[in-house]
Amino acid sequence: MDLHILEHRLRVTSLGKAGLERYTHGLIKLVFLRDKTRCKFFSLTEMPDEYTLVLDEEGFKELPQTDYLQVGEAIWLALNVVSNGHSSTSSQTIGVTKIAKSVIAPLAQHNVSVFMLSTYQTDFIMVRESDLPAVICTLSEEFNIYKEENGESIPVDCSSVTNGFIKPKNVTSPTVHPVLSPKNQFCVMSLDPDTLPTIATILMDVMFYSASLKTRSADQDLDHIRFFSFSLIDGYISIVVDTQTQKRFPSNLLLTSASSELWRMVRIGGQPLGFDECGIVAQISEALASADISAYYISTFNFDHALVPEEDIDNVITMLQKRQNGDR
């Protein structure tokens, strides 16, 4: 398989909901007015108390710098695993559990923190730009590595990148974080970007106004958590919504998998996780991979989230709770 280092240089930010009105103009531009911005990588994930925004440098310029916006210090690069020579956004997603043992676990073992974003089309593994030599050194034996430049995939001379590079010491066993599972059922969907104007009013209401109808804090009513994710990356749209919100959209415009599968969420972390700890994604994705359970994985500024098939949720929770208690 091939590993592609995408061109996008990304910022990870958190927008407090109290400051949303100052950002709606920029966010509407990024979502609906693609011809007015040079942004190619934009993702918004709504949680009960904040929005996590992952966007490239051009998109970041559209956001006013205020106290409501927390900005992670690092620049992140997006990696894609590609099989059979197909481009990442046109091929069927490899799946986070399929790359758990070949990509995520080795990076965790070599002290590389990752930030994950699964979409309807593919899985983006984000690493700090400063960790790129460690990433290449760790994965060069398993993958052909390419760096995308001006739309072309250029082979990476791994020997020159890693020459003189000393592998970091393997990390100790990561902290096993608590997990919880709200009862929402979720759908993972796509949409033809040309139909965005048709659903603009609904989408803006879902993104910016629905949560204000009934305010919930992060610690309240976790049986039904507020979670919505929208990504527009290189012209491809991915949407994650619960089934109640899905009913608001015209069904004939939404693209779903052939099985129309429903998903349940596992949220990882009782307290905000931060970006420095390694192995959080690995401990979840490896466990799911060993059980042959497919998953989408979405990291946010404070927590991580795995979406697993609804029929597997009880087994997943039991498995992860046993892991938390130190059982095998």
Side-chain angles (χ1 to χ4, degrees), residues 172-233:
T172 56
S173 297
T175 302
V176 179
H177 293 278
V179 299
L180 62 87
S181 180
K183 294 180 180 178
N184 313 50
Q185 297 171 314
F186 291 92
C187 308
V188 181
M189 309 175 297
S190 186
L191 183 74
D192 183 340
D194 292 337
T195 65
L196 265 178
T198 307
I199 62 164
T201 302
I202 299 172
L203 189 56
M204 283 191 285
D205 186 56
V206 170
M207 293 174 69
F208 303 134
Y209 303 111
S210 294
S212 64
L213 299 178
K214 183 179 179 182
T215 303
R216 297 185 177 113
S217 75
D219 297 321
Q220 292 178 332
D221 196 14
L222 287 177
D223 278 348
H224 189 92
I225 196 170
R226 174 70 184 171
F227 187 91
F228 169 80
S229 186
F230 174 93
S231 299
L232 176 55
I233 300 172

Side-chain angles (χ1 to χ4, degrees), residues 266-303:
V266 178
R267 193 186 82 172
I268 300 97
Q271 298 294 327
L273 299 172
F275 298 109
D276 294 326
E277 184 180 341
C278 299
I280 298 173
V281 180
Q283 65 178 277
I284 302 298
S285 61
E286 277 195 287
L288 295 175
S290 297
D292 197 26
I293 296 173
S294 59
Y296 291 91
Y297 200 104
I298 299 176
S299 300
T300 61
F301 203 86
N302 292 321
F303 300 104

Side-chain angles (χ1 to χ4, degrees), residues 61-85:
K61 293 175 183 177
E62 303 291 345
L63 302 181
Q65 302 304 298
T66 73
D67 291 339
Y68 295 108
L69 188 71
Q70 290 180 262
V71 183
E73 293 182 3
I75 298 292
W76 297 78
L77 301 178
L79 314 178
N80 247 177
V81 174
V82 181
S83 63
N84 300 324

Side-chain angles (χ1 to χ4, degrees), residues 135-163:
V135 171
I136 293 173
C137 184
T138 301
L139 301 179
S140 58
E141 293 184 6
E142 182 75 20
F143 293 92
N144 300 312
I145 301 179
Y146 298 86
K147 189 169 185 178
E148 295 193 0
E149 297 179 1
N150 299 318
E152 294 187 14
S153 298
I154 310 299
V156 173
D157 182 356
C158 299
S159 61
S160 64
V161 173
T162 60
N163 185 33

Side-chain angles (χ1 to χ4, degrees), residues 7-250:
E7 290 185 85
H8 314 291
R9 301 179 76 242
L10 305 173
R11 306 302 299 263
V12 178
T13 71
S14 173
L15 172 61
K17 289 192 172 179
L20 177 61
E21 62 182 24
R22 303 190 182 196
Y23 289 83
T24 50
H25 178 269
L27 293 175
I28 288 172
K29 181 177 179 180
L30 290 167
V31 174
F32 298 105
L33 303 175
R34 289 176 295 152
D35 58 336
K36 303 295 184 181
T37 174
R38 296 172 63 187
C39 179
K40 302 298 182 185
F41 193 113
F42 172 80
S43 175
L44 175 150
T45 301
E46 182 188 1
M47 292 293 294
D49 284 344
E50 60 96 25
Y51 295 90
T52 292
L53 305 172
V54 182
L55 63 179
D56 61 24
E57 292 176 311
E58 291 296 330
F60 185 66
K61 293 175 183 177
E62 303 291 345
L63 302 181
Q65 302 304 298
T66 73
D67 291 339
Y68 295 108
L69 188 71
Q70 290 180 262
V71 183
E73 293 182 3
I75 298 292
W76 297 78
L77 301 178
L79 314 178
N80 247 177
V81 174
V82 181
S83 63
N84 300 324
H86 295 292
S87 65
S88 58
T89 49
S90 64
S91 62
Q92 182 66 29
T93 178
I94 298 297
V96 66
T97 52
K98 301 299 183 184
I99 56 177
K101 297 181 185 298
S102 60
V103 179
I104 298 170
L107 292 179
Q109 291 164 5
H110 290 95
N111 207 27
V112 176
S113 178
V114 302
F115 190 94
M116 283 294 305
L117 177 62
S118 294
T119 68
Y120 180 86
Q121 293 83 13
T122 192
D123 299 287
F124 297 99
I125 312 146
M126 284 169 267
V127 299
R128 289 181 174 92
E129 189 174 49
S130 58
D131 285 334
L132 188 58
V135 171
I136 293 173
C137 184
T138 301
L139 301 179
S140 58
E141 293 184 6
E142 182 75 20
F143 293 92
N144 300 312
I145 301 179
Y146 298 86
K147 189 169 185 178
E148 295 193 0
E149 297 179 1
N150 299 318
E152 294 187 14
S153 298
I154 310 299
V156 173
D157 182 356
C158 299
S159 61
S160 64
V161 173
T162 60
N163 185 33
F165 176 76
I166 301 174
K167 283 188 178 182
K169 294 180 180 179
N170 287 2
V171 296
T172 56
S173 297
T175 302
V176 179
H177 293 278
V179 299
L180 62 87
S181 180
K183 294 180 180 178
N184 313 50
Q185 297 171 314
F186 291 92
C187 308
V188 181
M189 309 175 297
S190 186
L191 183 74
D192 183 340
D194 292 337
T195 65
L196 265 178
T198 307
I199 62 164
T201 302
I202 299 172
L203 189 56
M204 283 191 285
D205 186 56
V206 170
M207 293 174 69
F208 303 134
Y209 303 111
S210 294
S212 64
L213 299 178
K214 183 179 179 182
T215 303
R216 297 185 177 113
S217 75
D219 297 321
Q220 292 178 332
D221 196 14
L222 287 177
D223 278 348
H224 189 92
I225 196 170
R226 174 70 184 171
F227 187 91
F228 169 80
S229 186
F230 174 93
S231 299
L232 176 55
I233 300 172
D234 290 328
Y236 292 88
I237 291 175
S238 178
I239 302 174
V240 179
V241 294
D242 64 26
T243 51
Q244 292 302 310
T245 305
Q246 181 200 22
K247 294 175 182 177
R248 301 180 59 183
F249 292 90

